[in-house]
Amino acid sequence: MKEFGLIGKSLVHSFSQTYFTQKFENLGLDDHRYELFELPTISALPDLLAQHPNLRGLNVTIPYKEQIWPYLTEISSAAARIGAINVIDCTPDGRYIGHNTDYIGFRESLRTFYPLRGPEARALVLGTGGSSKAVEAALRELEIPYWLVSRNPLGTGLTYNDLTPDVLAGHSLIINATPLGTFPQVDACAPIPYEALTPAHYLYDLIYNPSETLFLQKGREAGAQTKNGFEMLCLQAEAAWEIWTK
């Protein structure tokens, strides 16, 4: 049996198990299994690895994308550059190699959603965690200037208090890279001036469960273009599968 899985603190929202189980069935891989592993802290990872010697790959989600580094044998150059891990390749010889496919999934999904490039393209990235690091990497590759937005003042970023209607008017792409609005806390959303949104705005939410978060709902009601993270999930999952089966 070859085991794969997802590690995180709370996985009630996750679609990964369904996605990979269906993929294994479609490929006729009866000896492959995908499990959800909720860890109270990242320090529980070594015990998990010891209990599952047949693990061949892991996905990593909130809040462990940045905390998992000390437990890895190697880190890919792309993941090191981004500063966050969402995929681990568990090799037969006992190595644990960290990768980042989030930025691949987001980059390719954004290409077909946000049409602006060059001086007209400007983005606000809500959140500064591991997911936002992948978003940053993709935006840099697509040459889309951006500001990070956080609850706390950053050296070169903005706070939510800085998001005036004028600031929103100058940034047509707004990306939610926070967990706010994820099932089951579906009534939460980032504190931005939604009344300043227009049909010229594009709102992208990395969350895919629910399919329309309150963040996206408010954007849609203002006439903005909206997109959730389901396509990103699928694209990053396929990139992970390529790593595990290379």
Side-chain angles (χ1 to χ4, degrees):
M1 180 65 67
K2 293 184 178 180
E3 289 186 293
F4 302 84
L6 173 68
I7 61 172
K9 194 162 190 175
S10 176
L11 303 178
V12 66
H13 69 282
S14 177
F15 183 70
S16 295
Q17 185 177 41
T18 300
Y19 184 90
F20 277 105
T21 298
Q22 186 63 57
K23 183 177 185 66
F24 296 158
E25 291 179 1
N26 293 341
L27 294 174
L29 299 174
D30 297 334
D31 61 342
H32 286 49
R33 178 179 299 143
Y34 194 98
E35 303 288 347
L36 299 179
F37 301 112
E38 290 192 348
L39 302 181
T41 66
I42 194 62
S43 62
L45 180 61
D47 286 342
L48 172 69
L49 297 176
Q51 293 165 11
H52 294 269
N54 293 325
L55 273 173
R56 291 296 173 263
L58 286 170
N59 293 118
V60 184
T61 190
I62 295 171
Y64 301 136
K65 293 183 180 184
E66 297 170 288
Q67 298 178 25
I68 200 164
W69 290 65
Y71 301 90
L72 301 176
T73 312
E74 301 173 31
I75 298 170
S76 73
S77 58
R81 185 174 68 252
I82 293 166
I85 305 291
N86 78 298
V87 172
I88 302 173
D89 184 17
C90 308
T91 68
D93 60 358
R95 290 176 297 142
Y96 300 102
I97 307 173
H99 298 266
N100 191 298
T101 63
D102 276 339
Y103 92 97
I104 297 172
F106 177 74
R107 181 191 65 199
E108 297 310 306
S109 181
L110 189 65
R111 283 187 198 276
T112 60
F113 174 64
Y114 184 62
L116 302 182
R117 298 291 184 273
E120 295 182 343
R122 288 195 171 277
L124 296 171
V125 181
L126 310 181
T128 56
S131 296
S132 72
K133 287 178 168 55
V135 169
E136 286 188 80
L139 293 176
R140 287 194 295 267
E141 288 195 12
L142 296 174
E143 298 182 344
I144 299 175
Y146 64 90
W147 283 103
L148 292 177
V149 183
S150 171
R151 290 172 296 179
N152 302 313
L154 298 171
T156 57
L158 303 174
T159 68
Y160 287 103
N161 291 333
D162 295 323
L163 298 186
T164 64
D166 285 343
V167 171
L168 259 65
H171 296 80
S172 54
L173 175 61
I174 305 176
I175 302 152
N176 180 40
T178 78
L180 290 171
T182 306
F183 178 84
Q185 275 77 44
V186 297
D187 294 331
C189 63
I192 70 173
Y194 292 95
E195 68 279 2
L197 295 174
T198 71
H201 281 98
Y202 293 77
L203 269 61
Y204 194 113
D205 201 326
L206 271 59
I207 296 168
Y208 56 86
N209 184 10
S211 59
E212 185 181 66
T213 58
L214 187 57
F215 170 76
L216 293 183
Q217 177 189 328
K218 288 176 176 288
R220 173 177 56 79
E221 290 171 349
Q225 300 296 311
T226 63
K227 188 169 188 174
N228 68 23
F230 184 73
E231 183 181 46
M232 173 185 170
L233 168 74
C234 297
L235 292 169
Q236 70 82 19
E238 289 305 312
W241 182 243
E242 288 186 19
I243 289 170
W244 295 334
T245 58
K246 64 182 180 298

